[in-house]
Amino acid sequence: KALHNGSDGVFFKHNRLWQPFSYIPATERIQPVYNIFDYVNLDSSSIEVKDQKFIFLLWLVSLFFPELLPTRVILLMCGPKGSSKTSILQQIGCFLFGSDFNVSQLSADKEDAFLAAISSNYFIAFDNIDGSVKWLQDNLARIATGQRISLRKLFTTNEEIIYKPNVFIALTARTPKFKRDDVVDRLLLFKTERINQNIPLAKLLKNISTNRNEMWSCWLDFLNFIITGMRNHPAPGIINHRMADFAAFCIRIAIITNNEIRCRDILDKMRDLNIEFMFEGDALFDALSQWLSNLDNLEKEVSAKELLHELNSLSGPDSGFDYKNAISLGKRLDNVKTDLETALNVTIKTRKSGGKTYYHFISNNKDGLRIP
């Protein structure tokens, strides 16, 4: 039955740009219901498309449970022009909020506009984040970890305003520059491929508008099913993922839908995809890969200074290997140690003595050879 806004302690905030929908009983719906995920062209080279769509669906479910996600993943659609990465986010926004939704553009010289956008929106999609924006990575890390944002109130000397963003962010990019390890750890990455036969975006959005009532009706039924299941399935305890809140949420939903083993396997693959993404074109990773191709280097212990010298000798002037001293090299190695161990299939042991740090790279292969 219809209730007044605020009934039972539940209040829905009004936004004049959001368009309402009408619930249609299951017996009156047209089948099959329009599926947004049928129109995204995902790269299947690392993870099967159906498995990626499963995690994509769980991400969409997570938007309705912000209280369970004090930390947030940042969705990244990465792929060439014409690969549906923008249109899928546009369709999701139009499904959620109506036809007035649009993806946003990021201006490198307008950090204040970015902060205003993330503070006043629940879901926002930024398109074509390919340039170097000096303040972007810091802010993405803050949003993902649920930090507050403190700003000076305009036209005052020292009066402070504190914002606690409650936002889910999605990004699209062709050649993203935000590859800092603490940011990449919190990305939910989907790679897309170019579509040979494009469907006009206007047609896709019209399909959303035409079918939105039925889509929302099915979605509400599914969300109520999830809520019922949550009463009997508490969140799992220890999670071996940096995106622990999101991974725990996904596994909890997967248990309810009898997909736990599958979900854990896909999350592991998504983590490996993030590591691969982090080290694409990374000068340190390339130099270490080349250095470890000499099997003698797997058997010796080297100081940070010696390692820097040997990696420098392997890197050309245009390689991007720009570590000026052993301290800067050691700091980067410490930050990405776990990811390097996974990517290179080695165990990195460290030892400190006499104010110096020593490294020993040990192969994880039984035959003593490193997997390239």
Side-chain angles (χ1 to χ4, degrees):
K1 64 178 181 179
L3 298 174
H4 291 293
N5 196 6
S7 297
D8 300 325
V10 178
F11 180 78
F12 293 90
K13 184 178 179 181
H14 174 70
N15 186 312
R16 61 183 179 82
L17 296 179
W18 296 354
Q19 297 171 352
F21 61 88
S22 298
Y23 180 82
I24 301 174
T27 55
E28 300 176 19
R29 296 173 200 162
I30 300 173
Q31 298 294 333
V33 175
Y34 181 80
N35 187 353
I36 294 174
F37 298 115
D38 287 342
Y39 299 93
V40 57
N41 193 35
L42 295 168
D43 180 351
S44 60
S45 58
S46 299
I47 308 173
E48 289 189 44
V49 169
K50 64 179 181 179
D51 289 336
Q52 293 184 72
K53 288 183 177 181
F54 177 70
I55 296 298
F56 211 135
L57 176 67
L58 294 183
W59 168 79
L60 190 56
V61 173
S62 76
L63 269 60
F64 296 86
F65 297 90
E67 297 82 3
L68 302 181
L69 298 160
T71 61
R72 307 276 171 87
V73 294
I74 297 170
L75 182 75
L76 172 61
M77 305 295 294
C78 184
K81 179 181 178 181
S83 60
S84 75
K85 57 187 186 295
T86 301
S87 69
I88 188 67
L89 297 184
Q90 180 77 22
Q91 290 180 77
I92 289 171
C94 287
F95 160 62
L96 292 173
F97 306 112
S99 59
D100 285 330
F101 177 87
N102 208 340
V103 296
S104 301
Q105 301 297 320
L106 190 69
S107 297
D109 59 345
K110 292 185 178 180
E111 182 181 6
D112 56 343
F114 174 83
L115 295 176
I118 63 172
S119 299
S120 57
N121 286 279
Y122 187 76
F123 169 71
I124 190 166
F126 290 101
D127 197 22
N128 295 325
I129 312 299
D130 290 295
S132 295
V133 181
K134 63 180 181 180
W135 46 261
L136 180 61
Q137 299 200 87
D138 284 338
N139 282 310
L140 289 178
R142 291 160 71 185
I143 295 164
T145 53
Q147 296 181 34
R148 291 177 172 83
I149 296 175
S150 300
L151 298 173
R152 181 179 65 83
K153 186 176 181 180
L154 291 177
F155 312 115
T156 66
T157 302
N158 59 0
E159 188 175 349
E160 186 180 56
I161 299 177
I162 298 177
Y163 297 95
K164 181 67 167 64
N166 185 31
V167 64
F168 289 86
I169 289 186
L171 310 172
T172 76
R174 285 176 285 179
T175 55
K177 303 295 191 297
F178 41 94
K179 291 196 173 186
R180 206 170 72 189
D181 56 281
D182 61 334
V183 174
V184 174
D185 277 344
R186 294 173 174 89
L187 292 179
L188 186 62
L189 173 64
F190 294 94
K191 291 189 174 183
T192 56
E193 295 181 322
R194 189 173 179 86
I195 297 175
N196 293 325
Q197 293 182 334
N198 289 306
I199 301 175
L201 180 59
K203 181 176 180 180
L204 295 174
L205 298 182
K206 184 177 180 180
N207 286 337
I208 298 289
S209 297
T210 302
N211 294 277
R212 190 164 177 258
N213 286 339
E214 289 193 348
M215 292 168 67
W216 260 110
S217 300
C218 291
W219 197 246
L220 285 177
D221 289 348
F222 180 61
L223 291 175
N224 278 307
F225 167 75
I226 294 299
I227 291 171
T228 301
M230 282 182 169
R231 296 191 180 103
N232 301 317
H233 298 88
I238 299 175
I239 298 293
N240 187 27
H241 283 272
R242 186 67 182 269
M243 304 181 296
D245 288 326
F246 179 73
F249 178 84
C250 289
I251 292 169
R252 190 176 183 183
I253 305 306
I255 291 172
I256 295 169
T257 59
N258 298 315
N259 284 288
E260 180 183 3
I261 296 176
R262 177 191 180 195
C263 182
R264 289 181 181 274
D265 180 61
I266 302 170
L267 287 172
D268 287 342
K269 292 177 180 177
M270 298 290 285
R271 180 190 58 202
D272 292 342
L273 186 63
N274 277 29
I275 293 173
E276 177 186 314
F277 169 78
M278 181 192 300
F279 292 128
E280 283 177 349
D282 183 270
L284 174 60
F285 177 79
D286 292 343
L288 273 175
S289 296
Q290 187 176 352
W291 186 73
L292 289 171
S293 65
N294 179 352
L295 299 184
D296 291 338
N297 290 327
L298 288 168
E299 304 299 327
K300 69 178 184 180
E301 184 181 69
V302 292
S303 68
K305 185 176 181 180
E306 291 169 334
L307 181 61
L308 175 64
H309 173 73
E310 295 189 24
L311 295 180
N312 261 322
S313 67
L314 294 173
S315 304
D318 299 322
S319 68
F321 190 88
D322 57 355
Y323 298 90
K324 304 302 182 185
N325 52 55
I327 294 176
S328 61
L329 175 63
K331 184 177 180 180
R332 178 78 198 291
L333 285 172
D334 288 344
N335 287 341
V336 298
K337 176 177 178 290
T338 302
D339 296 323
L340 276 175
E341 287 179 325
T342 300
L344 295 170
N345 198 29
V346 297
T347 297
I348 304 174
K349 292 189 175 182
T350 60
R351 180 177 66 87
K352 294 185 183 293
S353 178
K356 295 182 179 180
T357 302
Y358 294 85
Y359 295 91
H360 188 185
F361 295 80
I362 304 171
S363 173
N364 289 336
N365 286 350
K366 293 181 180 180
D367 61 3
L369 298 178
R370 181 181 62 85
I371 296 177

